[in-house]
């Protein structure tokens, strides 16, 4: 999976509510970047739901992983960070479309369905079609905004792309509006999974621990 971006990860950790690193149950993962834009000292992921220890959905864990891989390059949640995360998502989708389910280290890149072009698996296409339809409805609702008017205002008083009036909205490039809307959706998803200030604080704490554990010359 790391080859999506040609990066190296020194160690992987599972976050659990039973251990010190996972007691902040709001956070789904964090990354301790090496600072060179190509390596991570540690990536931690929450594979099980807090307290119940039920395995998380594969899609959720993979989405968190893509988020943390983007932190190898960008330490904050800037627009550049989300642009990189979107690119990683496109690369990952491309691998799945070609039927690639394992990376170079034989790590799984897809849920437990074998993507064999010679066989038919009706469950996976149906699941993706339903997801695509739901996302399309969601995109339409967010673009139209309140009352079904294009560029309608959202809950925060801004319409798609952060424009506050129709004239400003019409002056924007539609592609820019689409990118901003997608990033806004991703930010909302991240917030719901603790991938915000709490995540960065946990990452900083883990980075200090890595520094303290490093042998002194």
């Amino acid at each position: 999976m790391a080859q999506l971006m040609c990066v190296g990860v020194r160690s992987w950790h599972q976050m659990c509510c039973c251990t010190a690193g996972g007691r902040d149950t709001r956070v789904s993962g964090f990354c301790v970047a090496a600072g060179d834009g190509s390596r991570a000292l540690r990536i931690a992921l929450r594979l099980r739901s807090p307290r119940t220890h039920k395995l998380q959905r594969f899609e959720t864990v993979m989405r968190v992983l893509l988020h943390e891989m983007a932190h190898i390059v960008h330490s904050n949640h800037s627009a550049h960070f989300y642009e990189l995360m979107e690119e990683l998502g496109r690369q990952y989708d491309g691998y799945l479309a070609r039927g690639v389910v394992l990376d170079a280290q034989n790590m799984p890149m897809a849920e437990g369905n074998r993507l064999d072009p010679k066989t038919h698996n009706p469950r996976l296409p149906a699941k993706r079609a339903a997801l695509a339809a739901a996302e399309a409805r969601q995109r339409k609702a967010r673009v139209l905004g309140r009352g079904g008017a294009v560029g309608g205002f959202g809950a925060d008083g801004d319409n798609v792309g952060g424009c506050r009036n129709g004239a400003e909205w019409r002056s924007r490039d539609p592609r820019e509006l689409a990118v901003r809307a997608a990033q806004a959706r991703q930010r909302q998803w991240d917030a719901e999974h603790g991938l915000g200030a709490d995540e960065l604080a946990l990452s900083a704490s883990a980075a200090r621990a890595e520094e303290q554990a490093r042998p002194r010359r």
Side-chain angles (χ1 to χ4, degrees), residues 1 4 9 18 55-57 63 66 70 72 82 97 107 117 122 124 138 148 150 157 163 171 180 190 195 199 203 206:
M1 182 62 200
L4 283 176
V9 180
C18 302
L55 284 172
Q56 301 267 25
R57 294 174 64 248
R63 198 163 175 175
L66 294 176
I72 295 176
Y82 281 104
M107 293 292 290
L124 189 57
Q138 189 178 47
V150 175
C163 308
S171 68
R180 289 182 177 232
D190 289 350
L195 301 177
E199 171 209 15
S203 175

Side-chain angles (χ1 to χ4, degrees), residues 19-204:
T19 61
R23 286 175 184 162
D24 187 345
T25 58
R26 297 166 295 182
V27 181
S28 297
F30 65 87
C31 169
V32 179
D36 58 4
S38 64
R39 293 181 301 124
L41 301 179
R42 180 194 309 185
I43 286 183
L45 301 171
R46 191 177 298 280
L47 304 182
R48 297 178 180 273
S49 299
R51 290 176 287 277
T52 66
H53 293 95
K54 181 179 178 180
L55 284 172
Q56 301 267 25
R57 294 174 64 248
F58 184 88
E59 294 92 337
T60 299
V61 176
M62 182 56 69
R63 198 163 175 175
V64 175
L65 174 56
L66 294 176
H67 181 109
E68 301 310 334
M69 287 178 63
H71 273 311
I72 295 176
V73 179
H74 301 289
S75 60
N76 55 18
H77 295 123
S78 64
H80 292 302
F81 168 87
Y82 281 104
E83 288 171 4
L84 175 57
M85 187 177 171
E86 184 178 359
E87 173 60 25
L88 291 174
R90 284 195 296 267
Q91 292 183 37
Y92 174 65
D93 289 341
Y95 278 116
L96 294 188
R98 296 197 300 272
V100 179
V101 296
L102 298 177
D103 67 8
Q105 287 76 41
N106 290 320
M107 293 292 290
M109 295 174 59
E111 200 171 6
N113 295 283
R114 185 175 181 81
L115 302 182
D116 187 346
K118 298 180 181 179
T119 62
H120 176 60
N121 184 347
R123 290 178 51 221
L124 189 57
K127 181 177 180 181
R128 286 187 173 168
L131 179 60
E135 290 179 341
R137 290 193 298 270
Q138 189 178 47
R139 284 196 299 270
K140 181 179 179 181
R142 282 177 172 156
V143 169
L144 292 180
R146 296 177 185 172
V150 175
F153 290 95
D156 59 355
D158 290 344
N159 62 10
V160 176
C163 308
R164 292 186 174 273
N165 57 67
E168 185 180 357
W169 179 84
R170 285 190 294 272
S171 68
R172 295 290 181 90
D173 186 324
R175 289 171 296 184
E176 178 188 357
L177 294 175
V179 169
R180 289 182 177 232
Q183 291 182 357
R185 291 193 297 273
Q186 184 61 54
R187 288 177 186 275
Q188 178 61 34
W189 190 92
D190 289 350
E192 293 170 356
H193 291 80
L195 301 177
D198 295 327
E199 171 209 15
L200 297 182
L202 194 55
S203 175

